[in-house]
Amino acid sequence: MGYHKTIGTTFVPILILLLSFMNYIPCKAQLSPTFYDNTCPNALTTIRTSIRTAVSRERRMAASLIRLHFHDCFVQGCDASILLDDSPSEKTAFANNAVRGYEVIDAAKAAVESVCPGVVSCADVLAVAARDASVAVGGPSWTVRLGRRDSTSANPTQANSDLPRANMDLATLIANFNTKNLGPRDMVALSGSHTIGQARCVTFRARIYNNASDIDAGFASTRRRNCPVGPNDGDGNLAPLDLVTPNSFDNNYFRNLVQRRGLLASDQVLFSGDSTDSIVTEYSNNPRTFASDFAAAMVRMGDIDPLTGTNGVIRNLCTTSN
């Protein structure tokens, strides 16, 4: 009797401990906003200072950094693979030939390395930089979940197949985002980042010269001035994605769409008599709703297939695998 009692009183707490331990171990390590609180408490402040400096030098850089994070997450997940110079490099992919801001992330990473060597991943630096870039131009902030690790290889083939393009129709865009577990509302909200930044003439020439396209005639005429017709005629000439407030993060992008003044075909299809019209209208009328949804969509995008736990590495330099 005493033997069984001893076994019982000993076994119960052990069982509870085992069950607690099993519950503690997640199927996949989770990202957390407090990930660096003990190992590098100054990480976020260091990154923010670096990004603010870069955006103050060039306001356009805010759009470039948000886009850089997007282009990273849509290929292999948010793993900083886009930053690698190692061959094959995603930087050489056709879909990334206008992506910029690499040197800003390299500088932010170097600043963090100076205070906490080998602790903060390039993938996390990029995720935090996108948030800080938004804030620097008056856009929303959000809590960045941290703990991503870096890949040791890139995938330019996937970059060309998975990244959305400027001439995609609505159904293709929705399907494209759906493969990353992002719904139509996420897609429209994230497209709102085009309220800042610029696009190259080659990406919108077909739209502004197509008289049958859904475009405001005056807007098309204005855009043609710096985007002539002909092979290689001004392909790299830039135009603001939002002609009205190109350097401020606001909801004017959606107002433009309602007025048929979306610069890219993939912009205007969001308001073309189809399923996403109501979302565009809502965002054009309510900047707070857009800002809130944009922040939430950026968090969800930042959760696309991160490398965590023992997967991946912490790269010392973002341009090369260790």
Side-chain angles (χ1 to χ4, degrees):
M1 187 76 170
Y3 171 78
H4 288 292
K5 184 177 180 181
T6 302
I7 291 294
T9 55
T10 304
F11 178 74
V12 171
I14 290 176
L15 178 61
I16 292 173
L17 182 63
L18 285 172
L19 288 173
S20 299
F21 184 68
M22 289 174 67
N23 288 332
Y24 176 76
I25 301 176
C27 296
K28 185 168 91 172
Q30 299 298 307
L31 302 179
S32 166
T34 61
F35 189 82
Y36 297 113
D37 280 9
N38 295 324
T39 55
C40 191
N42 293 323
L44 299 190
T45 302
T46 303
I47 296 170
R48 182 170 62 246
T49 299
S50 188
I51 300 307
R52 280 180 176 174
T53 299
V55 175
S56 67
R57 289 197 195 109
E58 182 193 7
R59 294 278 288 185
R60 182 188 170 203
M61 187 54 67
S64 299
L65 294 175
I66 293 171
R67 185 184 185 201
L68 187 56
H69 182 38
F70 177 91
H71 278 234
D72 179 45
C73 290
F74 261 57
V75 182
Q76 296 188 161
C78 307
D79 61 357
S81 59
I82 195 172
L83 305 177
L84 284 166
D85 283 339
D86 298 354
S87 183
S89 172
E90 287 171 28
K91 293 179 180 180
T92 64
F94 175 78
N96 286 327
N97 62 8
V99 174
R100 60 198 294 273
Y102 300 112
E103 73 286 354
V104 174
I105 301 301
D106 291 341
K109 168 66 171 175
V112 173
E113 284 292 301
S114 69
V115 294
C116 304
V119 174
V120 181
S121 68
C122 296
D124 277 346
V125 170
L126 185 49
V128 173
R131 187 270 310 277
D132 293 343
S134 170
V135 174
V137 290
S141 183
W142 55 91
T143 300
V144 181
R145 295 200 280 255
L146 303 163
R148 301 167 190 80
R149 289 168 68 85
D150 302 324
S151 66
T152 56
S153 62
N155 194 332
T157 301
Q158 190 180 101
N160 285 326
S161 65
D162 286 18
L163 285 165
R165 295 186 296 278
N167 60 352
M168 280 183 171
D169 60 32
L170 183 62
T172 305
L173 282 171
I174 290 174
N176 177 274
F177 277 74
N178 187 57
T179 62
K180 309 300 179 183
N181 293 317
L182 296 170
R185 195 172 185 89
D186 294 317
M187 179 189 72
V188 176
L190 290 171
S191 297
S193 64
H194 286 180
T195 189
I196 53 175
Q198 302 185 56
R200 295 177 304 141
C201 168
V202 68
T203 63
F204 60 84
R205 182 186 283 117
R207 171 164 162 72
I208 62 175
Y209 283 98
N210 181 3
N211 292 328
S213 69
D214 184 18
I215 190 169
D216 175 79
F219 176 75
S221 177
T222 299
R223 294 276 61 89
R224 288 172 188 161
R225 295 172 191 166
N226 197 40
C227 187
V229 176
N232 301 318
D233 286 346
D235 278 1
N237 292 355
L238 297 172
L241 287 157
D242 171 14
L243 186 60
V244 184
T245 55
N247 293 316
S248 296
F249 198 108
D250 53 31
N251 69 330
N252 206 67
Y253 165 81
F254 299 103
R255 295 174 182 171
N256 292 338
L257 298 187
V258 172
Q259 296 170 351
R260 298 184 298 127
R261 295 174 181 172
L263 185 62
L264 305 179
S266 57
D267 289 328
Q268 195 59 55
V269 295
L270 302 180
F271 191 81
S272 56
D274 217 315
S275 59
T276 54
D277 283 15
S278 61
I279 305 172
V280 170
T281 300
E282 182 181 2
Y283 290 163
S284 70
N285 292 328
N286 195 327
R288 289 187 178 181
T289 300
F290 162 54
S292 175
D293 283 4
F294 178 80
M298 287 295 289
V299 171
R300 281 190 283 274
M301 188 190 77
D303 285 349
I304 297 176
D305 297 330
L307 297 171
T308 57
T310 57
N311 295 319
V313 299
I314 304 297
R315 299 204 301 258
N316 298 321
L317 294 172
C318 293
T319 54
T320 184
S321 53
N322 293 344

